[in-house]
Amino acid sequence: MTTSVRGDQLARLLGRWHSLPGRHRSPDYAALGAAVRGLLADGRLALGVRLPAERELADSLGVSRTTVSAAYRALRESGHLTSRRGAGSWTTLPHGHRVATSGLWTPGDDLDMIDMGVAASAAPVELVPAARAAAEDLPRYLGTAGYHPTGLSELRAVVAEIYTARGVPTSPEQILVTSGTQQALDLVLRLSVPAGAPVLVETPTYPNALAALSARRARISTHGLDTATGWDGEMLLGALRQTRPRLAYMIPEFHNPTGHLMPADLRERMVATAHACGTELVVDESFVDLPLDDPEMPPPVAVFDRHSRVMSIGGMSKPYWGGLRIGWVRASAPLVQRLAAIRVGVDMASPVLEQLVAVHLLRSASSIVEARRAQLRFRRDALITALREQLPEWRFFVPGGGVTLWVELDGPISSALSRAAEEVGVRLAPGPRFGLDGTLERFLRLPFTLPADDLTEAVRRIASVRHDLDHAARPSWRTPAVIA
């Protein structure tokens, strides 16, 4: 079944779509077409969606039908729209482009592309030796069917030991191994969030969490984080009391994307308030292993849990490697069994070999993670230096850990800047990807997971297009090749 978007819905997504002021201001139709391409580029408008009729969109935007007709024609010429008389127009990708792992469309021949849309590091050198050791362990499991819905007992034991060492006594029965942190969240939502249930999230927040909540048709409300200070405790607790959500999704350790660290007293009050409101807390600890400036780490949120209201999720992606799809849920043992029953209907179990690799990496965690922290600390400082030299008008909070900077720009230009940066070989994740309603146009997430030289070059390219953005020419697209 084809998905459609109404004129008023597309108008909300487009937001402030008109050209930026300048001597070479683009015509309205060109600005409208570029804005639709931007929605496709940052994932807010999916492929294969039927756009509203020209007259309907013109009425919603308060422009002439001629403007919309010209914009649709430009989108067809660039390959972003396919139309059929009497049936409508659908979003597509231009010839020679594909959907990248970041969710953005990208040219197929992008060898010179600096991808700052993904906040994840390359694999550590210890991965290959760990894989070899895991292969030697594999024969112990070859006589079984290979399905372990809750995870290998030895991996669950190692993860439980990590939680116990952090001050949260945990048994292996309280750990469910998943195929990455994203699946951990998905399973929790399948268990706890029926369609239409109220859910509270931070804004900005992790885009794939928003996608998972939307897939569950949750009724999402938000608590806004201050760019400089993070959570406002009274407002957060007030939001819990007022909305009484079925579930709240929080990232208290080096929040993605802002980098803030939730203080201990707020963690304790949040758990108590959630219990009083009947709210389940899902705590995403993806970045807990990555303090960079030796800040005093507050206790885990689960330390304050007395009523099994907290489900902690984490995984190997950020401190180790995203290609190792190993995550986990820490919860009460009965809840783990219920999650495992749901998981059987999704993918049965995680691969045995990958779990064995995870065991070997986690047993060497101290040396691997310390090297990762040193690497990220150096790259963060290189990115900060480049930004202060090239774009001194931009503002940002320097995080004490994690992998991202949340940068406040000098205008509501995030989507436009991302489109322009793509033309000079830098892929960005604009601010609206991290919110619900197309806002956050003054913000940009910049991860510091790439080599320092790449980060410096990326900032140089971004600065070059930022300085010319108001006068940028209309982008050109490849002409489809004719093969006879």
Side-chain angles (χ1 to χ4, degrees), residues 79 261 294 318 359 396 411 450 470:
L261 182 64
D294 297 321
K318 303 308 179 182
V359 169
F396 48 84
L450 296 175
D470 292 351

Side-chain angles (χ1 to χ4, degrees), residues 228-282:
T229 60
W231 298 266
D232 182 309
E234 295 307 317
M235 291 186 67
L236 172 57
L237 302 183
L240 284 168
R241 297 187 187 104
Q242 292 170 24
T243 61
R244 304 183 76 84
R246 175 69 65 90
L247 179 144
Y249 170 77
M250 299 286 155
I251 312 175
E253 282 91 18
F254 309 117
H255 176 265
N256 182 10
T258 68
H260 287 291
L261 182 64
M262 183 182 286
D265 63 327
L266 180 54
R267 295 171 184 236
E268 183 173 13
R269 295 163 65 201
M270 180 175 67
V271 172
T273 303
H275 172 62
C277 296
T279 299
E280 305 287 341
L281 280 176
V282 178

